[in-house]
Amino acid sequence: MESADSNPEALGLYMVESINKYKILYCQMVEPRMKTVREKCESPHSLLPMRNAFNGTFMVAGGYGREDGNKAVAKNYTDLVAYGRLFLANPDLPRRFELGAPLNKETFYTPDPVLGYTDYPFLETTA
């Protein structure tokens, strides 16, 4: 959240090379691909150098949807894609992706009225 580094690629490569020494099984990195909750942007920094340097399974996150997540895996940009907000709002996300079904609108968690976490409908109840 508004944190930055003067040379994020060098820092990322240093971190990946450091954890390689310990034979870590996976590395998850989050790309700064979101301006706001609903507005994507292109990141000027690619995780590809870190992906290529890491010896284990590489996972990315950062506002991916079905299409761009599949594209990232197909182009060998990553091994796995993590879906945070989409999974919270769609507890049946793999099924929705499989069917090309519409996704629930993401709401963030509010205390009054209580919304989020437990009240998102499953696909069968949204027909």
Side-chain angles (χ1 to χ4, degrees), residues 66 87 90-101 103 123-124:
R66 179 179 183 261
F87 232 125
N90 298 277
D92 51 2
L93 185 64
R95 182 78 173 139
R96 288 175 188 259
F97 277 3
E98 178 184 16
L99 298 173
L103 301 176
L123 187 60
E124 295 78 19

PDB file of all heavy atoms in Angstrom, residues 66 87 90-101 103 123-124:
ATOM      1  N   ARG A  66      -9.689 -14.422 -14.887  1.00  0.00           N
ATOM      2  CA  ARG A  66      -9.579 -15.733 -15.522  1.00  0.00           C
ATOM      3  C   ARG A  66      -8.668 -15.691 -16.749  1.00  0.00           C
ATOM      4  O   ARG A  66      -7.739 -16.482 -16.873  1.00  0.00           O
ATOM      5  CB  ARG A  66     -10.966 -16.232 -15.913  1.00  0.00           C
ATOM      6  CG  ARG A  66     -10.966 -17.580 -16.591  1.00  0.00           C
ATOM      7  CD  ARG A  66     -12.410 -18.003 -16.928  1.00  0.00           C
ATOM      8  NE  ARG A  66     -12.438 -19.309 -17.516  1.00  0.00           N
ATOM      9  CZ  ARG A  66     -12.514 -19.535 -18.831  1.00  0.00           C
ATOM     10  NH1 ARG A  66     -12.558 -18.524 -19.675  1.00  0.00           N
ATOM     11  NH2 ARG A  66     -12.539 -20.772 -19.293  1.00  0.00           N
ATOM     12  N   PHE A  87     -11.605 -14.823  -5.000  1.00  0.00           N
ATOM     13  CA  PHE A  87     -11.981 -16.037  -4.282  1.00  0.00           C
ATOM     14  C   PHE A  87     -12.849 -15.720  -3.075  1.00  0.00           C
ATOM     15  O   PHE A  87     -13.772 -16.476  -2.752  1.00  0.00           O
ATOM     16  CB  PHE A  87     -10.756 -16.828  -3.845  1.00  0.00           C
ATOM     17  CG  PHE A  87     -10.810 -18.260  -4.250  1.00  0.00           C
ATOM     18  CD1 PHE A  87      -9.780 -18.805  -4.977  1.00  0.00           C
ATOM     19  CD2 PHE A  87     -11.886 -19.077  -3.939  1.00  0.00           C
ATOM     20  CE1 PHE A  87      -9.814 -20.132  -5.379  1.00  0.00           C
ATOM     21  CE2 PHE A  87     -11.943 -20.399  -4.328  1.00  0.00           C
ATOM     22  CZ  PHE A  87     -10.901 -20.921  -5.056  1.00  0.00           C
ATOM     23  N   ASN A  90     -16.252 -15.004  -4.451  1.00  0.00           N
ATOM     24  CA  ASN A  90     -16.813 -16.120  -5.211  1.00  0.00           C
ATOM     25  C   ASN A  90     -16.292 -17.422  -4.627  1.00  0.00           C
ATOM     26  O   ASN A  90     -15.281 -17.956  -5.077  1.00  0.00           O
ATOM     27  CB  ASN A  90     -16.398 -16.006  -6.686  1.00  0.00           C
ATOM     28  CG  ASN A  90     -16.934 -14.746  -7.307  1.00  0.00           C
ATOM     29  OD1 ASN A  90     -18.069 -14.694  -7.743  1.00  0.00           O
ATOM     30  ND2 ASN A  90     -16.101 -13.711  -7.330  1.00  0.00           N
ATOM     31  N   PRO A  91     -16.972 -17.949  -3.603  1.00  0.00           N
ATOM     32  CA  PRO A  91     -16.462 -19.148  -2.940  1.00  0.00           C
ATOM     33  C   PRO A  91     -16.387 -20.354  -3.877  1.00  0.00           C
ATOM     34  O   PRO A  91     -15.719 -21.325  -3.570  1.00  0.00           O
ATOM     35  CB  PRO A  91     -17.459 -19.382  -1.804  1.00  0.00           C
ATOM     36  CG  PRO A  91     -18.659 -18.578  -2.144  1.00  0.00           C
ATOM     37  CD  PRO A  91     -18.207 -17.458  -3.023  1.00  0.00           C
ATOM     38  N   ASP A  92     -17.035 -20.270  -5.023  1.00  0.00           N
ATOM     39  CA  ASP A  92     -17.008 -21.334  -6.028  1.00  0.00           C
ATOM     40  C   ASP A  92     -16.264 -20.867  -7.287  1.00  0.00           C
ATOM     41  O   ASP A  92     -16.623 -21.221  -8.400  1.00  0.00           O
ATOM     42  CB  ASP A  92     -18.422 -21.774  -6.363  1.00  0.00           C
ATOM     43  CG  ASP A  92     -19.338 -20.605  -6.717  1.00  0.00           C
ATOM     44  OD1 ASP A  92     -18.875 -19.442  -6.744  1.00  0.00           O
ATOM     45  OD2 ASP A  92     -20.527 -20.848  -6.982  1.00  0.00           O
ATOM     46  N   LEU A  93     -15.222 -20.083  -7.098  1.00  0.00           N
ATOM     47  CA  LEU A  93     -14.505 -19.472  -8.213  1.00  0.00           C
ATOM     48  C   LEU A  93     -14.038 -20.475  -9.278  1.00  0.00           C
ATOM     49  O   LEU A  93     -14.234 -20.225 -10.467  1.00  0.00           O
ATOM     50  CB  LEU A  93     -13.320 -18.644  -7.704  1.00  0.00           C
ATOM     51  CG  LEU A  93     -12.569 -17.850  -8.765  1.00  0.00           C
ATOM     52  CD1 LEU A  93     -13.462 -16.787  -9.393  1.00  0.00           C
ATOM     53  CD2 LEU A  93     -11.328 -17.212  -8.171  1.00  0.00           C
ATOM     54  N   PRO A  94     -13.452 -21.617  -8.918  1.00  0.00           N
ATOM     55  CA  PRO A  94     -13.043 -22.548  -9.976  1.00  0.00           C
ATOM     56  C   PRO A  94     -14.210 -22.982 -10.862  1.00  0.00           C
ATOM     57  O   PRO A  94     -14.072 -23.074 -12.088  1.00  0.00           O
ATOM     58  CB  PRO A  94     -12.460 -23.738  -9.211  1.00  0.00           C
ATOM     59  CG  PRO A  94     -12.016 -23.157  -7.913  1.00  0.00           C
ATOM     60  CD  PRO A  94     -13.028 -22.083  -7.602  1.00  0.00           C
ATOM     61  N   ARG A  95     -15.357 -23.217 -10.263  1.00  0.00           N
ATOM     62  CA  ARG A  95     -16.548 -23.610 -11.040  1.00  0.00           C
ATOM     63  C   ARG A  95     -17.011 -22.469 -11.945  1.00  0.00           C
ATOM     64  O   ARG A  95     -17.357 -22.676 -13.101  1.00  0.00           O
ATOM     65  CB  ARG A  95     -17.669 -24.034 -10.095  1.00  0.00           C
ATOM     66  CG  ARG A  95     -18.913 -24.491 -10.777  1.00  0.00           C
ATOM     67  CD  ARG A  95     -18.734 -25.911 -11.290  1.00  0.00           C
ATOM     68  NE  ARG A  95     -20.012 -26.398 -11.797  1.00  0.00           N
ATOM     69  CZ  ARG A  95     -20.135 -27.103 -12.899  1.00  0.00           C
ATOM     70  NH1 ARG A  95     -19.064 -27.446 -13.579  1.00  0.00           N
ATOM     71  NH2 ARG A  95     -21.305 -27.501 -13.298  1.00  0.00           N
ATOM     72  N   ARG A  96     -17.005 -21.252 -11.427  1.00  0.00           N
ATOM     73  CA  ARG A  96     -17.398 -20.095 -12.238  1.00  0.00           C
ATOM     74  C   ARG A  96     -16.429 -19.911 -13.411  1.00  0.00           C
ATOM     75  O   ARG A  96     -16.854 -19.619 -14.524  1.00  0.00           O
ATOM     76  CB  ARG A  96     -17.448 -18.830 -11.387  1.00  0.00           C
ATOM     77  CG  ARG A  96     -18.631 -18.807 -10.436  1.00  0.00           C
ATOM     78  CD  ARG A  96     -18.561 -17.577  -9.530  1.00  0.00           C
ATOM     79  NE  ARG A  96     -19.561 -17.636  -8.507  1.00  0.00           N
ATOM     80  CZ  ARG A  96     -20.712 -16.973  -8.539  1.00  0.00           C
ATOM     81  NH1 ARG A  96     -21.006 -16.196  -9.547  1.00  0.00           N
ATOM     82  NH2 ARG A  96     -21.564 -17.087  -7.547  1.00  0.00           N
ATOM     83  N   PHE A  97     -15.138 -20.072 -13.156  1.00  0.00           N
ATOM     84  CA  PHE A  97     -14.157 -19.989 -14.238  1.00  0.00           C
ATOM     85  C   PHE A  97     -14.410 -21.078 -15.272  1.00  0.00           C
ATOM     86  O   PHE A  97     -14.359 -20.834 -16.469  1.00  0.00           O
ATOM     87  CB  PHE A  97     -12.736 -20.108 -13.688  1.00  0.00           C
ATOM     88  CG  PHE A  97     -12.146 -18.830 -13.153  1.00  0.00           C
ATOM     89  CD1 PHE A  97     -12.863 -17.645 -13.101  1.00  0.00           C
ATOM     90  CD2 PHE A  97     -10.852 -18.821 -12.688  1.00  0.00           C
ATOM     91  CE1 PHE A  97     -12.296 -16.471 -12.608  1.00  0.00           C
ATOM     92  CE2 PHE A  97     -10.264 -17.654 -12.198  1.00  0.00           C
ATOM     93  CZ  PHE A  97     -11.004 -16.485 -12.167  1.00  0.00           C
ATOM     94  N   GLU A  98     -14.670 -22.280 -14.806  1.00  0.00           N
ATOM     95  CA  GLU A  98     -14.908 -23.412 -15.705  1.00  0.00           C
ATOM     96  C   GLU A  98     -16.108 -23.152 -16.620  1.00  0.00           C
ATOM     97  O   GLU A  98     -16.067 -23.440 -17.815  1.00  0.00           O
ATOM     98  CB  GLU A  98     -15.150 -24.677 -14.872  1.00  0.00           C
ATOM     99  CG  GLU A  98     -15.460 -25.903 -15.687  1.00  0.00           C
ATOM    100  CD  GLU A  98     -15.782 -27.108 -14.808  1.00  0.00           C
ATOM    101  OE1 GLU A  98     -16.054 -26.943 -13.597  1.00  0.00           O
ATOM    102  OE2 GLU A  98     -15.778 -28.220 -15.350  1.00  0.00           O
ATOM    103  N   LEU A  99     -17.168 -22.591 -16.064  1.00  0.00           N
ATOM    104  CA  LEU A  99     -18.401 -22.351 -16.813  1.00  0.00           C
ATOM    105  C   LEU A  99     -18.416 -21.007 -17.538  1.00  0.00           C
ATOM    106  O   LEU A  99     -19.312 -20.749 -18.337  1.00  0.00           O
ATOM    107  CB  LEU A  99     -19.609 -22.418 -15.875  1.00  0.00           C
ATOM    108  CG  LEU A  99     -19.868 -23.750 -15.186  1.00  0.00           C
ATOM    109  CD1 LEU A  99     -20.983 -23.605 -14.168  1.00  0.00           C
ATOM    110  CD2 LEU A  99     -20.190 -24.823 -16.218  1.00  0.00           C
ATOM    111  N   GLY A 100     -17.460 -20.147 -17.233  1.00  0.00           N
ATOM    112  CA  GLY A 100     -17.506 -18.793 -17.768  1.00  0.00           C
ATOM    113  C   GLY A 100     -18.682 -18.019 -17.185  1.00  0.00           C
ATOM    114  O   GLY A 100     -19.241 -17.130 -17.824  1.00  0.00           O
ATOM    115  N   ALA A 101     -19.054 -18.367 -15.952  1.00  0.00           N
ATOM    116  CA  ALA A 101     -20.215 -17.768 -15.287  1.00  0.00           C
ATOM    117  C   ALA A 101     -19.857 -16.375 -14.753  1.00  0.00           C
ATOM    118  O   ALA A 101     -18.686 -16.073 -14.505  1.00  0.00           O
ATOM    119  CB  ALA A 101     -20.667 -18.666 -14.132  1.00  0.00           C
ATOM    120  N   LEU A 103     -19.320 -13.294 -12.191  1.00  0.00           N
ATOM    121  CA  LEU A 103     -18.749 -13.251 -10.849  1.00  0.00           C
ATOM    122  C   LEU A 103     -19.576 -12.342  -9.951  1.00  0.00           C
ATOM    123  O   LEU A 103     -20.195 -11.389 -10.420  1.00  0.00           O
ATOM    124  CB  LEU A 103     -17.309 -12.737 -10.906  1.00  0.00           C
ATOM    125  CG  LEU A 103     -16.352 -13.549 -11.768  1.00  0.00           C
ATOM    126  CD1 LEU A 103     -14.984 -12.859 -11.820  1.00  0.00           C
ATOM    127  CD2 LEU A 103     -16.218 -14.962 -11.263  1.00  0.00           C
ATOM    128  N   LEU A 123     -22.919 -19.990  -6.924  1.00  0.00           N
ATOM    129  CA  LEU A 123     -23.460 -19.929  -8.263  1.00  0.00           C
ATOM    130  C   LEU A 123     -24.887 -20.459  -8.335  1.00  0.00           C
ATOM    131  O   LEU A 123     -25.752 -19.856  -8.945  1.00  0.00           O
ATOM    132  CB  LEU A 123     -22.567 -20.703  -9.238  1.00  0.00           C
ATOM    133  CG  LEU A 123     -22.895 -20.614 -10.702  1.00  0.00           C
ATOM    134  CD1 LEU A 123     -22.837 -19.167 -11.192  1.00  0.00           C
ATOM    135  CD2 LEU A 123     -21.916 -21.462 -11.520  1.00  0.00           C
ATOM    136  N   GLU A 124     -25.164 -21.570  -7.683  1.00  0.00           N
ATOM    137  CA  GLU A 124     -26.492 -22.173  -7.734  1.00  0.00           C
ATOM    138  C   GLU A 124     -27.581 -21.242  -7.190  1.00  0.00           C
ATOM    139  O   GLU A 124     -28.709 -21.307  -7.608  1.00  0.00           O
ATOM    140  CB  GLU A 124     -26.540 -23.484  -6.940  1.00  0.00           C
ATOM    141  CG  GLU A 124     -25.660 -24.582  -7.500  1.00  0.00           C
ATOM    142  CD  GLU A 124     -24.179 -24.407  -7.167  1.00  0.00           C
ATOM    143  OE1 GLU A 124     -23.845 -23.665  -6.223  1.00  0.00           O
ATOM    144  OE2 GLU A 124     -23.358 -25.019  -7.872  1.00  0.00           O
TER     145      GLU A 124
END
